[in-house]
Amino acid sequence: MINTFIDELIIYDYILFSVIFALFILLFILGLILRKKATKAIVLISLAFFILLVGSTLGYSKMHEYLFSNVTSFISQKKLTFSQAVVVYATVKNNSNFDFVNCKISASAYKVSGNSIKDYIFTFKPLMKMSILEYDILKGEERELKIILEPFTYSNDYNISVEATCR
């Protein structure tokens, strides 16, 4: 999992992590220099670690959200009668300024209870989740796709959601 993360890093990720690490080193050294003034030193060293942890995590997620912006739209679903499957029709549109090399589009089926709190909890554990990969989506391009959830044996009320992670 770590190797996959490192393999998928882009140049902007390296720049982000380098700047955050340089800022961490700078604040840490400044905190060591001011060690005679304990409160300032503790604040600077704490700020350095906070920037290292929160800055890298939030920066990475927000940067990828901006760089690889996409819109997924759920069109329709159809539960097949002679097989245990649900066919989901959706679209993915590239809203970023870059061409996507690949997109992992996932469709998930969730239970519906009528209780908003339970429905929110059910989103964390879908009944079924299937993913497909779409390659080479140009900027501004919109693709229609079909995802088949099978074997889908749930007979009560359910909701379907579609999401995409693109690179």
Side-chain angles (χ1 to χ4, degrees), residues 12-50:
Y12 298 113
D13 295 328
Y14 290 113
I15 293 169
L16 172 73
F17 293 141
S18 299
V19 168
I20 288 174
F21 189 70
L23 191 58
F24 167 76
I25 295 295
L26 178 73
L27 289 173
F28 192 79
I29 290 173
L30 194 58
L32 290 178
I33 290 172
L34 296 174
R35 68 181 173 267
K36 302 272 185 192
K37 299 175 183 176
T39 55
K40 288 183 182 179
I42 290 172
V43 167
L44 284 173
I45 291 174
S46 299
L47 182 64
F49 279 105
F50 181 78

Side-chain angles (χ1 to χ4, degrees), residues 35-113:
R35 68 181 173 267
K36 302 272 185 192
K37 299 175 183 176
T39 55
K40 288 183 182 179
I42 290 172
V43 167
L44 284 173
I45 291 174
S46 299
L47 182 64
F49 279 105
F50 181 78
I51 287 173
L52 183 67
L53 296 175
V54 175
S56 59
T57 306
L58 246 144
Y60 177 83
S61 64
K62 292 299 182 186
M63 183 176 65
H64 278 260
E65 186 178 298
Y66 173 75
L67 289 177
F68 302 113
S69 169
N70 64 65
V71 174
T72 56
S73 301
F74 176 80
I75 296 174
S76 66
Q77 69 181 12
K78 182 177 182 182
K79 188 165 184 175
L80 302 178
T81 54
F82 296 110
S83 66
Q84 296 176 339
V86 173
V87 180
V88 178
Y89 297 97
T91 60
V92 173
K93 183 175 182 182
N94 181 349
N95 284 345
S96 74
N97 294 326
F98 300 98
D99 296 337
F100 294 155
V101 176
N102 63 24
C103 278
K104 181 181 178 183
I105 299 104
S106 301
S108 303
Y110 303 100
K111 289 181 187 179
V112 175
S113 68

Side-chain angles (χ1 to χ4, degrees), residues 110-113 127 154-159:
Y110 303 100
K111 289 181 187 179
V112 175
S113 68
L127 296 168
Y154 190 71
S155 60
N156 294 332
D157 197 16
Y158 61 91
N159 281 341

Side-chain angles (χ1 to χ4, degrees), residues 73 75 88-93 105 132 134 137 141-147:
S73 301
I75 296 174
V88 178
Y89 297 97
T91 60
V92 173
K93 183 175 182 182
I105 299 104
I132 61 170
E134 284 288 321
I137 300 177
E141 182 182 357
E142 184 172 352
R143 281 221 187 138
E144 290 188 16
L145 36 107
K146 176 172 58 171
I147 303 171

